[in-house]
Amino acid sequence: HIPMNRSLLGSIPGIPSESDYISKYCKLTRRQSIPEMNFYLAFSLFRSSAIFQGVLKRFQLGNASSSNAESIGMLAGLFADKGRELAETSKQLSKSECSGLEFNSVNIFAISERAQSVLKKLKKFVDEIIIPNEPVFVSQIRQGEDRWKYYPEIMETMKNQAKEAGLWNLWLPKEAEYGPGFSNLEYASMAEVMGRSHIAPEVFNCSAPDTGNMEVLLRYGSKAQQEKWLKPLLSGEIRSCFGMTEPDVASSDARNIETNIRKEGNSYVINGKKWYISGAGDPRCKICILMGKTDTSASNYRQQSMILVPMDTPGVNVVRPCHVLGFDDAPHGHMEITFTNVIVPLENIIWGEGRGFEIAQGRLGPGRIHHCMRLIGLAERALQEMCIRSVNRVAFGKHLARQGTIQADIANSRVEIEQCRLLTLKAAYMVDTVGAKEARGLIAMIKVAAPTMACKVIDRAMQVYGAKGMSQDT
């Protein structure tokens, strides 16, 4: 017999009350509540009804193993009726509620209550303000007469809202005097939420390459450099780029860099060519942190230096946007830039000559964690869209969600996302506890694992959407 009043279960010794059970579950999974309890109960009752129906069928065929199989089998109708009753009182879940039910994974790496509170606000902001404004952002880019000179107004509107909500510069490390001071592990979960939308990181002033450049100035910049460039970057007044990759050499090995930084009197003279310099097309990009060689006679890892180059310096020429699979990503862009006899003062060198490799290693560790967690967030959104599409689309007489190949794709995507998240959170934890140098092996792993996983999950989602998955509508 199923008690009509579920609270009666709490009076049976050894069985917790419904409220006690839900309270314990929410505490362990760090949820505020279960949005639609009746949905889960109805699902469980329908599942039990199906099992009981199987028991009854075996009794009717004469191959039941239990002496009370008939009476157990007769419960199928009772459970189905109760499930239907609960289902009829359960509202249909919205897209945002589906996102909350999911797809929320238990994070075994504990974060502070303060970080949890900010994370909750961040999720709400992304889902209710940023994602609905994505079409507005795209349409405003298209409206500009010159896409490389105009930036969508909606972005500045959302940035002001983020500042007012206290969701600004969340990436700043604990040792920084300017920001909230979250650990790498705490910020990693926030980066995942931001990754759900390609425009979200900038809204919170947490986007690349600015975060990496700000971290360089924060850790290694002089007081004068911080005053002139770090503060306007932190306030979101300007943007920046990082000039490292060169077209003529394999730049993944920074020892190959050929851009020359030559000291002449009270200045440095820079000559070289860079390309795929992300963000350099943005009309708000005012400063470039450039990697070049100051002393080719020094040891391999002491030849390189980093230097600040204002984008309006004579000799800095933005040649063209470099396309990525046919897209120019205006107005952000990935630009080819030539530096021809560019003169900057000696005080623009960062942390002294020959320190480029040291700075790069300090910059890349946390930055790779940020990138990987954002990719995980993007993969989560793709999986969410895949699930929504599969339960609403019918092909060959049944919903896509009932097709075995789709079920396998969804299952594999969930497994791969969970694996990648745990690996990345472990890397963040290790950076916090033993430092980036000791965590370099894990950082190298996530740099491979996250993009590979995201490509697989997003490709599966595109397949479920068919032609629409290849269109501007998705």
Side-chain angles (χ1 to χ4, degrees), residues 162-249:
K163 287 181 182 179
E164 292 172 4
L167 300 173
W168 191 254
N169 285 330
L170 299 174
W171 65 273
L172 278 168
K174 280 188 171 182
E175 60 269 24
E177 60 179 287
Y178 307 98
F182 292 118
S183 66
N184 283 290
L185 179 60
E186 290 171 329
Y187 178 69
S189 295
M190 299 174 194
E192 178 179 343
V193 174
M194 295 180 208
R196 287 174 54 80
S197 171
H198 71 286
I199 63 174
E202 184 184 347
V203 172
F204 307 107
N205 210 37
C206 294
S207 58
D210 290 337
T211 49
N213 290 341
M214 286 188 278
E215 189 159 7
V216 166
L217 290 168
L218 181 67
R219 294 180 182 276
Y220 310 108
S222 67
K223 292 295 183 183
Q225 291 169 351
Q226 291 175 352
E227 185 68 28
K228 187 171 184 179
W229 299 113
L230 178 59
K231 286 188 176 181
L233 282 167
L234 287 170
S235 67
E237 298 171 28
I238 65 171
R239 298 210 64 187
S240 62
C241 62
F242 184 71
M244 180 171 172
T245 306
E246 298 182 1
D248 299 328
V249 295

Coordinates of all heavy atoms in Angstrom, one line a residue, residues 162-249:
A162 N 26.9 44.0 -14.1 CA 27.8 43.1 -13.4 C 28.5 43.8 -12.3 O 28.7 43.2 -11.1 CB 28.7 42.4 -14.4
K163 N 29.0 45.0 -12.5 CA 29.7 45.8 -11.5 C 28.7 46.0 -10.3 O 29.1 45.9 -9.1 CB 30.2 47.1 -12.1 CG 31.4 47.0 -13.0 CD 31.8 48.4 -13.5 CE 33.0 48.3 -14.4 NZ 33.4 49.6 -14.9
E164 N 27.5 46.4 -10.6 CA 26.5 46.7 -9.6 C 26.2 45.5 -8.8 O 25.9 45.6 -7.6 CB 25.2 47.3 -10.2 CG 25.4 48.7 -10.8 CD 24.2 49.1 -11.6 OE1 23.2 48.4 -11.6 OE2 24.3 50.2 -12.2
A165 N 26.2 44.3 -9.4 CA 25.9 43.1 -8.7 C 27.1 42.5 -7.9 O 27.0 41.5 -7.3 CB 25.4 42.0 -9.7
G166 N 28.3 43.2 -8.0 CA 29.5 42.7 -7.3 C 30.1 41.5 -8.0 O 30.8 40.7 -7.4
L167 N 29.9 41.4 -9.3 CA 30.4 40.2 -10.1 C 31.5 40.7 -11.0 O 31.4 40.6 -12.3 CB 29.3 39.5 -10.8 CG 28.2 38.9 -10.0 CD1 27.0 38.4 -10.8 CD2 28.7 37.8 -9.1
W168 N 32.5 41.4 -10.5 CA 33.5 42.0 -11.3 C 34.9 41.6 -10.9 O 35.2 41.5 -9.7 CB 33.4 43.5 -11.2 CG 34.2 44.4 -12.1 CD1 35.3 45.1 -11.9 CD2 33.9 44.6 -13.5 NE1 35.7 45.7 -13.0 CE2 34.9 45.4 -14.0 CE3 32.9 44.1 -14.4 CZ2 34.9 45.8 -15.4 CZ3 32.9 44.5 -15.7 CH2 33.9 45.4 -16.2
N169 N 35.8 41.3 -11.9 CA 37.1 40.9 -11.7 C 37.2 39.7 -10.7 O 38.1 39.6 -9.8 CB 38.0 42.0 -11.1 CG 38.3 43.1 -12.1 OD1 38.5 42.7 -13.3 ND2 38.5 44.3 -11.7
L170 N 36.3 38.7 -10.9 CA 36.3 37.5 -10.0 C 37.5 36.7 -10.1 O 37.8 35.9 -9.2 CB 35.1 36.7 -10.4 CG 33.7 37.4 -10.2 CD1 32.6 36.5 -10.7 CD2 33.5 37.7 -8.7
W171 N 38.3 36.8 -11.2 CA 39.5 36.0 -11.4 C 40.7 36.4 -10.6 O 41.6 35.7 -10.4 CB 39.9 36.2 -12.9 CG 40.4 37.6 -13.2 CD1 39.6 38.6 -13.6 CD2 41.7 38.1 -13.1 NE1 40.3 39.8 -13.7 CE2 41.6 39.5 -13.4 CE3 42.9 37.6 -12.7 CZ2 42.7 40.3 -13.4 CZ3 44.0 38.4 -12.7 CH2 43.9 39.8 -13.1
L172 N 40.7 37.6 -10.0 CA 41.8 38.1 -9.3 C 42.2 37.2 -8.2 O 41.4 36.8 -7.4 CB 41.5 39.5 -8.7 CG 41.7 40.7 -9.7 CD1 41.1 42.0 -9.1 CD2 43.2 40.9 -10.1
P173 N 43.5 36.8 -8.1 CA 44.0 35.9 -7.1 C 43.9 36.4 -5.7 O 43.7 37.6 -5.4 CB 45.4 35.6 -7.5 CG 45.8 36.8 -8.3 CD 44.6 37.3 -9.0
K174 N 44.1 35.5 -4.7 CA 44.0 35.9 -3.3 C 45.0 37.0 -2.9 O 44.6 37.8 -2.0 CB 44.2 34.7 -2.4 CG 43.0 33.7 -2.3 CD 43.3 32.7 -1.3 CE 42.0 31.9 -1.0 NZ 42.1 30.9 0.0
E175 N 46.2 37.0 -3.5 CA 47.2 38.0 -3.1 C 46.9 39.4 -3.6 O 47.6 40.3 -3.3 CB 48.6 37.5 -3.4 CG 48.8 37.3 -4.9 CD 48.5 35.9 -5.4 OE1 47.7 35.2 -4.7 OE2 49.0 35.5 -6.4
A176 N 45.9 39.5 -4.5 CA 45.6 40.8 -5.1 C 44.9 41.7 -4.2 O 44.0 41.2 -3.5 CB 44.9 40.6 -6.4
E177 N 45.2 43.0 -4.1 CA 44.5 43.9 -3.3 C 43.2 44.5 -3.9 O 42.4 45.1 -3.2 CB 45.4 45.1 -2.9 CG 45.9 45.9 -4.1 CD 46.8 47.0 -3.7 OE1 46.3 48.0 -3.2 OE2 48.0 46.9 -4.0
Y178 N 43.0 44.2 -5.2 CA 41.9 44.9 -5.9 C 40.7 44.0 -6.0 O 39.6 44.6 -6.2 CB 42.4 45.2 -7.4 CG 43.7 45.9 -7.5 CD1 44.9 45.3 -7.7 CD2 43.7 47.3 -7.3 CE1 46.0 46.0 -7.9 CE2 44.8 48.1 -7.5 CZ 46.0 47.4 -7.7 OH 47.2 48.1 -7.8
G179 N 40.7 42.7 -5.9 CA 39.6 41.9 -6.2 C 39.1 41.1 -5.0 O 39.4 41.3 -3.8
P180 N 38.1 40.1 -5.3 CA 37.5 39.4 -4.2 C 38.4 38.3 -3.6 O 38.1 37.8 -2.5 CB 36.3 38.7 -5.0 CG 36.8 38.6 -6.4 CD 37.6 39.8 -6.6
G181 N 39.5 37.9 -4.2 CA 40.4 37.0 -3.6 C 40.0 35.6 -3.5 O 40.2 34.9 -2.5
F182 N 39.4 35.0 -4.6 CA 39.0 33.6 -4.6 C 40.3 32.8 -5.0 O 41.2 33.2 -5.7 CB 37.9 33.4 -5.6 CG 36.6 34.0 -5.2 CD1 36.0 34.9 -6.0 CD2 36.0 33.6 -4.0 CE1 34.8 35.5 -5.6 CE2 34.8 34.2 -3.6 CZ 34.2 35.1 -4.4
S183 N 40.3 31.5 -4.5 CA 41.3 30.6 -4.9 C 41.1 30.2 -6.3 O 40.1 30.4 -7.0 CB 41.3 29.4 -4.0 OG 40.1 28.6 -4.2
N184 N 42.2 29.5 -6.9 CA 42.0 29.0 -8.3 C 40.9 28.0 -8.4 O 40.2 27.9 -9.3 CB 43.3 28.4 -8.7 CG 44.4 29.4 -9.1 OD1 44.2 30.1 -10.2 ND2 45.4 29.6 -8.3
L185 N 40.8 27.2 -7.3 CA 39.7 26.2 -7.3 C 38.3 26.8 -7.3 O 37.4 26.4 -8.0 CB 39.9 25.3 -6.1 CG 38.9 24.2 -5.9 CD1 38.9 23.2 -7.0 CD2 39.1 23.4 -4.6
E186 N 38.2 27.9 -6.5 CA 36.9 28.5 -6.4 C 36.5 29.2 -7.7 O 35.4 29.1 -8.2 CB 36.9 29.5 -5.2 CG 36.9 28.8 -3.8 CD 37.1 29.8 -2.7 OE1 37.8 30.8 -2.9 OE2 36.7 29.5 -1.6
Y187 N 37.5 29.9 -8.2 CA 37.3 30.6 -9.5 C 37.0 29.7 -10.6 O 36.3 30.0 -11.6 CB 38.4 31.6 -9.8 CG 38.1 32.3 -11.2 CD1 37.1 33.2 -11.3 CD2 38.9 32.0 -12.3 CE1 36.9 33.8 -12.5 CE2 38.6 32.6 -13.5 CZ 37.6 33.5 -13.6 OH 37.3 34.1 -14.8
A188 N 37.6 28.5 -10.6 CA 37.4 27.5 -11.7 C 35.9 27.2 -11.9 O 35.5 27.1 -13.1 CB 38.1 26.2 -11.3
S189 N 35.2 27.0 -10.8 CA 33.7 26.8 -11.0 C 33.0 28.0 -11.6 O 32.0 27.8 -12.3 CB 33.1 26.4 -9.6 OG 33.6 25.2 -9.1
M190 N 33.5 29.2 -11.2 CA 32.9 30.4 -11.8 C 33.2 30.5 -13.3 O 32.4 30.9 -14.1 CB 33.4 31.6 -11.0 CG 33.0 31.6 -9.6 SD 33.8 33.0 -8.7 CE 33.5 32.4 -7.0
A191 N 34.4 30.1 -13.7 CA 34.8 30.1 -15.1 C 33.9 29.2 -15.9 O 33.6 29.5 -17.0 CB 36.3 29.8 -15.2
E192 N 33.6 28.0 -15.3 CA 32.7 27.1 -16.0 C 31.3 27.7 -16.3 O 30.8 27.6 -17.4 CB 32.5 25.8 -15.2 CG 31.5 24.9 -15.9 CD 31.3 23.6 -15.1 OE1 32.1 23.2 -14.2 OE2 30.3 22.9 -15.4
V193 N 30.8 28.4 -15.3 CA 29.5 29.1 -15.5 C 29.6 30.1 -16.6 O 28.7 30.3 -17.5 CB 29.0 29.7 -14.2 CG1 27.7 30.6 -14.5 CG2 28.8 28.7 -13.2
M194 N 30.7 30.9 -16.6 CA 30.9 32.0 -17.7 C 31.0 31.3 -19.0 O 30.6 31.9 -20.1 CB 32.1 32.8 -17.4 CG 32.0 33.6 -16.1 SD 33.6 34.6 -15.8 CE 33.6 34.7 -14.1
G195 N 31.6 30.1 -19.1 CA 31.8 29.5 -20.4 C 30.5 29.1 -21.1 O 30.6 28.8 -22.3
R196 N 29.4 29.1 -20.4 CA 28.1 28.8 -21.0 C 27.7 29.8 -22.1 O 26.9 29.5 -23.0 CB 27.0 28.8 -19.9 CG 27.1 27.5 -19.0 CD 26.1 27.6 -17.9 NE 24.7 27.8 -18.4 CZ 23.9 26.9 -18.9 NH1 24.4 25.6 -19.0 NH2 22.7 27.2 -19.3
S197 N 28.3 31.0 -22.1 CA 28.1 32.0 -23.1 C 29.4 32.5 -23.6 O 30.2 32.9 -22.8 CB 27.2 33.1 -22.6 OG 27.1 34.1 -23.6
H198 N 29.6 32.7 -24.9 CA 30.9 33.2 -25.4 C 31.1 34.6 -25.1 O 32.2 35.1 -25.1 CB 31.0 32.9 -26.9 CG 30.1 33.8 -27.7 ND1 28.7 33.7 -27.8 CD2 30.3 34.9 -28.5 CE1 28.2 34.6 -28.6 NE2 29.1 35.4 -29.0
I199 N 30.0 35.4 -24.7 CA 30.2 36.8 -24.4 C 30.3 37.0 -22.9 O 30.5 38.1 -22.4 CB 29.1 37.7 -25.0 CG1 27.7 37.3 -24.4 CG2 29.1 37.6 -26.5 CD1 26.6 38.2 -24.9
A200 N 30.0 36.0 -22.1 CA 29.9 36.2 -20.6 C 31.2 36.6 -19.9 O 31.2 37.5 -19.1 CB 29.4 34.9 -20.0
P201 N 32.4 36.0 -20.3 CA 33.6 36.4 -19.6 C 33.9 37.9 -19.6 O 34.3 38.5 -18.6 CB 34.7 35.6 -20.3 CG 34.0 34.4 -20.8 CD 32.6 34.9 -21.2
E202 N 33.7 38.5 -20.8 CA 33.9 39.9 -20.8 C 33.0 40.7 -20.0 O 33.4 41.8 -19.4 CB 33.8 40.4 -22.3 CG 34.2 41.9 -22.4 CD 34.1 42.5 -23.8 OE1 33.9 41.7 -24.7 OE2 34.1 43.8 -23.9
V203 N 31.7 40.3 -19.8 CA 30.8 41.0 -19.0 C 31.3 41.2 -17.6 O 31.1 42.2 -16.9 CB 29.4 40.3 -19.0 CG1 28.5 40.9 -18.0 CG2 28.8 40.3 -20.4
F204 N 32.0 40.2 -17.1 CA 32.5 40.2 -15.7 C 34.0 40.6 -15.7 O 34.6 40.5 -14.6 CB 32.4 38.8 -15.1 CG 31.0 38.3 -15.2 CD1 30.7 37.2 -16.1 CD2 30.0 38.8 -14.4 CE1 29.3 36.8 -16.2 CE2 28.7 38.4 -14.5 CZ 28.4 37.3 -15.4
N205 N 34.5 41.1 -16.8 CA 36.0 41.5 -16.9 C 36.9 40.3 -16.6 O 37.9 40.5 -15.9 CB 36.3 42.7 -16.0 CG 37.4 43.5 -16.6 OD1 37.5 43.7 -17.8 ND2 38.3 44.0 -15.7
C206 N 36.5 39.2 -17.1 CA 37.2 37.9 -16.8 C 37.6 37.2 -18.1 O 37.7 36.0 -18.2 CB 36.4 37.0 -16.0 SG 36.0 37.6 -14.3
S207 N 37.8 38.0 -19.2 CA 38.0 37.4 -20.5 C 39.5 37.4 -20.9 O 40.3 38.3 -20.5 CB 37.2 38.1 -21.6 OG 37.5 39.4 -21.6
A208 N 39.9 36.5 -21.7 CA 41.3 36.5 -22.3 C 41.3 37.4 -23.5 O 40.3 37.6 -24.1 CB 41.6 35.0 -22.7
P209 N 42.4 38.0 -23.8 CA 43.7 37.9 -23.1 C 43.9 38.8 -21.9 O 45.0 38.9 -21.3 CB 44.7 38.2 -24.2 CG 44.0 39.2 -25.0 CD 42.5 38.8 -25.0
D210 N 42.8 39.6 -21.6 CA 43.0 40.6 -20.5 C 43.4 40.1 -19.2 O 44.2 40.6 -18.5 CB 41.7 41.4 -20.4 CG 41.5 42.3 -21.6 OD1 42.5 42.6 -22.3 OD2 40.3 42.7 -21.9
T211 N 42.7 38.9 -18.8 CA 43.0 38.4 -17.5 C 44.5 38.0 -17.3 O 45.2 38.3 -16.3 CB 42.2 37.2 -17.2 OG1 42.2 36.3 -18.3 CG2 40.7 37.6 -16.9
G212 N 45.0 37.4 -18.4 CA 46.5 37.0 -18.4 C 47.4 38.2 -18.3 O 48.4 38.3 -17.6
N213 N 47.0 39.2 -19.1 CA 47.8 40.4 -19.2 C 47.8 41.2 -17.8 O 48.8 41.7 -17.4 CB 47.4 41.3 -20.3 CG 47.7 40.8 -21.7 OD1 48.6 39.9 -21.8 ND2 47.1 41.2 -22.7
M214 N 46.6 41.2 -17.3 CA 46.4 41.9 -16.0 C 47.2 41.2 -14.9 O 47.8 41.8 -14.0 CB 44.9 42.0 -15.6 CG 44.2 43.1 -16.4 SD 42.5 43.3 -15.8 CE 41.6 42.0 -16.5
E215 N 47.2 39.8 -15.0 CA 48.0 39.1 -14.0 C 49.5 39.3 -14.1 O 50.2 39.4 -13.1 CB 47.7 37.6 -14.1 CG 48.3 36.7 -13.0 CD 47.6 35.4 -12.9 OE1 46.7 35.0 -13.7 OE2 47.9 34.7 -11.9
V216 N 49.9 39.5 -15.4 CA 51.4 39.8 -15.6 C 51.7 41.1 -15.0 O 52.7 41.3 -14.2 CB 51.7 39.8 -17.1 CG1 53.0 40.5 -17.4 CG2 51.7 38.4 -17.7
L217 N 50.9 42.1 -15.2 CA 51.1 43.5 -14.6 C 51.0 43.4 -13.1 O 51.7 44.1 -12.4 CB 50.1 44.5 -15.2 CG 50.4 44.8 -16.7 CD1 49.2 45.6 -17.3 CD2 51.7 45.6 -16.9
L218 N 50.1 42.7 -12.6 CA 49.9 42.6 -11.2 C 51.0 41.9 -10.5 O 51.5 42.4 -9.4 CB 48.6 41.7 -10.9 CG 48.2 41.5 -9.4 CD1 47.7 42.8 -8.8 CD2 47.0 40.5 -9.3
R219 N 51.6 40.8 -11.1 CA 52.7 40.1 -10.4 C 54.0 40.7 -10.7 O 54.9 40.7 -9.9 CB 52.6 38.6 -10.9 CG 51.4 37.8 -10.5 CD 51.5 36.4 -11.0 NE 50.3 35.6 -10.6 CZ 50.2 35.0 -9.5 NH1 51.1 35.0 -8.6 NH2 49.1 34.3 -9.2
Y220 N 54.2 41.2 -12.0 CA 55.6 41.5 -12.4 C 55.7 43.0 -12.8 O 56.9 43.5 -13.1 CB 56.0 40.7 -13.6 CG 55.8 39.2 -13.3 CD1 54.7 38.5 -14.0 CD2 56.6 38.5 -12.4 CE1 54.5 37.1 -13.8 CE2 56.4 37.1 -12.2 CZ 55.3 36.5 -12.9 OH 55.1 35.1 -12.6
G221 N 54.6 43.7 -12.9 CA 54.7 45.1 -13.4 C 55.2 46.1 -12.3 O 55.0 45.8 -11.1
S222 N 55.8 47.2 -12.8 CA 56.3 48.2 -11.8 C 55.0 49.0 -11.4 O 54.0 48.9 -11.9 CB 57.3 49.1 -12.5 OG 56.6 49.9 -13.6
K223 N 55.2 49.8 -10.3 CA 54.1 50.7 -9.9 C 53.6 51.6 -11.0 O 52.4 51.8 -11.1 CB 54.6 51.5 -8.7 CG 54.8 50.7 -7.4 CD 53.6 50.0 -6.9 CE 53.8 49.3 -5.6 NZ 52.6 48.6 -5.1
A224 N 54.6 52.2 -11.7 CA 54.2 53.1 -12.8 C 53.4 52.3 -13.9 O 52.4 52.8 -14.4 CB 55.4 53.7 -13.4
Q225 N 53.8 51.1 -14.3 CA 53.1 50.3 -15.2 C 51.7 49.9 -14.8 O 50.7 49.9 -15.5 CB 53.9 49.0 -15.6 CG 55.2 49.3 -16.3 CD 56.1 48.1 -16.4 OE1 55.9 47.0 -15.7 NE2 57.2 48.2 -17.2
Q226 N 51.6 49.6 -13.5 CA 50.3 49.3 -12.9 C 49.4 50.5 -12.9 O 48.2 50.3 -13.3 CB 50.5 48.7 -11.5 CG 51.2 47.4 -11.4 CD 51.4 46.9 -10.0 OE1 51.2 47.7 -9.1 NE2 51.8 45.7 -9.8
E227 N 49.9 51.6 -12.6 CA 49.1 52.8 -12.6 C 48.6 53.2 -14.0 O 47.4 53.5 -14.2 CB 49.9 54.0 -12.0 CG 49.1 55.3 -11.8 CD 48.1 55.2 -10.7 OE1 48.2 54.4 -9.8 OE2 47.1 55.9 -10.8
K228 N 49.5 53.0 -15.0 CA 49.1 53.5 -16.3 C 48.2 52.5 -17.1 O 47.3 52.8 -17.8 CB 50.4 53.7 -17.1 CG 50.1 54.4 -18.5 CD 51.4 54.8 -19.2 CE 51.1 55.5 -20.5 NZ 52.3 56.0 -21.1
W229 N 48.5 51.2 -16.9 CA 47.8 50.2 -17.7 C 47.0 49.2 -16.9 O 45.9 48.8 -17.4 CB 48.9 49.4 -18.5 CG 49.7 50.2 -19.4 CD1 51.0 50.5 -19.3 CD2 49.2 50.9 -20.6 NE1 51.4 51.3 -20.4 CE2 50.3 51.6 -21.1 CE3 47.9 51.0 -21.2 CZ2 50.2 52.4 -22.3 CZ3 47.8 51.8 -22.3 CH2 48.9 52.5 -22.8
L230 N 47.4 48.8 -15.7 CA 46.6 47.8 -14.9 C 45.3 48.4 -14.5 O 44.2 47.7 -14.6 CB 47.4 47.3 -13.8 CG 46.7 46.3 -12.8 CD1 46.3 45.0 -13.6 CD2 47.6 45.9 -11.7
K231 N 45.3 49.6 -13.9 CA 44.1 50.1 -13.4 C 43.0 50.3 -14.4 O 41.8 50.0 -14.2 CB 44.4 51.4 -12.6 CG 45.1 51.2 -11.3 CD 45.2 52.5 -10.5 CE 45.8 52.2 -9.1 NZ 45.9 53.5 -8.3
P232 N 43.3 50.9 -15.6 CA 42.2 51.0 -16.6 C 41.7 49.6 -17.1 O 40.6 49.5 -17.5 CB 42.8 51.8 -17.7 CG 44.3 51.8 -17.5 CD 44.5 51.6 -16.0
L233 N 42.6 48.6 -17.1 CA 42.2 47.3 -17.5 C 41.3 46.7 -16.4 O 40.2 46.1 -16.8 CB 43.4 46.4 -17.7 CG 44.2 46.5 -19.0 CD1 45.5 45.8 -18.9 CD2 43.4 46.0 -20.2
L234 N 41.6 46.9 -15.2 CA 40.8 46.4 -14.1 C 39.4 47.0 -14.1 O 38.4 46.4 -13.7 CB 41.5 46.6 -12.7 CG 42.7 45.7 -12.4 CD1 43.4 46.2 -11.2 CD2 42.2 44.2 -12.2
S235 N 39.3 48.3 -14.5 CA 38.1 49.0 -14.5 C 37.2 48.7 -15.7 O 36.1 49.1 -15.8 CB 38.3 50.5 -14.3 OG 38.9 51.0 -15.4
G236 N 37.9 48.1 -16.7 CA 37.2 47.8 -18.0 C 37.1 48.9 -18.9 O 36.4 48.9 -19.9
E237 N 38.0 49.9 -18.7 CA 38.0 51.1 -19.6 C 38.7 50.8 -20.9 O 38.3 51.3 -22.0 CB 38.7 52.3 -18.9 CG 38.1 52.8 -17.7 CD 39.0 53.8 -17.0 OE1 39.8 54.4 -17.6 OE2 38.9 53.8 -15.7
I238 N 39.7 49.9 -20.9 CA 40.4 49.5 -22.1 C 40.5 48.0 -22.2 O 40.2 47.3 -21.3 CB 41.8 50.2 -22.1 CG1 42.7 49.6 -21.0 CG2 41.7 51.7 -22.1 CD1 44.1 50.0 -21.1
R239 N 41.0 47.6 -23.4 CA 41.4 46.1 -23.5 C 42.8 46.0 -24.0 O 43.4 47.0 -24.3 CB 40.4 45.5 -24.4 CG 38.9 45.5 -23.9 CD 38.1 44.3 -24.3 NE 38.6 43.1 -23.8 CZ 38.2 41.9 -24.2 NH1 37.2 41.8 -25.1 NH2 38.7 40.8 -23.7
S240 N 43.3 44.8 -24.1 CA 44.7 44.5 -24.4 C 44.8 43.3 -25.3 O 43.9 42.6 -25.6 CB 45.5 44.3 -23.1 OG 45.0 43.2 -22.4
C241 N 46.1 43.1 -25.7 CA 46.4 41.9 -26.5 C 47.8 41.4 -26.1 O 48.5 42.1 -25.4 CB 46.3 42.1 -28.0 SG 47.5 43.3 -28.6
F242 N 48.1 40.1 -26.5 CA 49.4 39.5 -26.1 C 50.1 39.1 -27.4 O 49.6 38.2 -28.1 CB 49.1 38.3 -25.2 CG 50.4 37.7 -24.6 CD1 51.2 38.3 -23.7 CD2 50.7 36.4 -25.1 CE1 52.3 37.7 -23.2 CE2 51.9 35.8 -24.6 CZ 52.7 36.5 -23.7
G243 N 51.2 39.7 -27.7 CA 51.9 39.4 -28.9 C 53.0 38.4 -28.8 O 54.1 38.7 -28.4
M244 N 52.7 37.1 -29.2 CA 53.8 36.1 -29.1 C 53.9 35.3 -30.4 O 55.0 35.2 -30.9 CB 53.4 35.1 -27.9 CG 54.5 34.0 -27.8 SD 54.2 33.1 -26.3 CE 55.4 31.7 -26.5
T245 N 52.8 34.8 -30.9 CA 52.9 33.9 -32.1 C 53.4 34.6 -33.3 O 53.0 35.7 -33.6 CB 51.5 33.3 -32.4 OG1 51.0 32.7 -31.2 CG2 51.6 32.2 -33.5
E246 N 54.3 33.9 -34.0 CA 54.9 34.5 -35.3 C 54.7 33.6 -36.4 O 54.7 32.3 -36.3 CB 56.4 34.8 -35.1 CG 56.7 35.8 -34.0 CD 58.2 36.1 -33.8 OE1 59.0 35.5 -34.6 OE2 58.5 36.9 -32.9
P247 N 54.4 34.1 -37.6 CA 54.1 33.2 -38.8 C 55.3 32.4 -39.3 O 55.1 31.4 -40.0 CB 53.6 34.2 -39.8 CG 54.2 35.5 -39.5 CD 54.3 35.5 -38.0
D248 N 56.5 32.9 -39.1 CA 57.7 32.3 -39.8 C 58.4 31.2 -38.9 O 59.3 30.6 -39.4 CB 58.7 33.4 -40.2 CG 58.1 34.4 -41.1 OD1 57.2 34.0 -41.9 OD2 58.4 35.6 -41.1
V249 N 58.0 31.1 -37.7 CA 58.6 30.1 -36.8 C 57.6 29.3 -36.0 O 56.4 29.8 -35.9 CB 59.6 30.7 -35.9 CG1 60.8 31.3 -36.6 CG2 59.0 31.7 -35.0

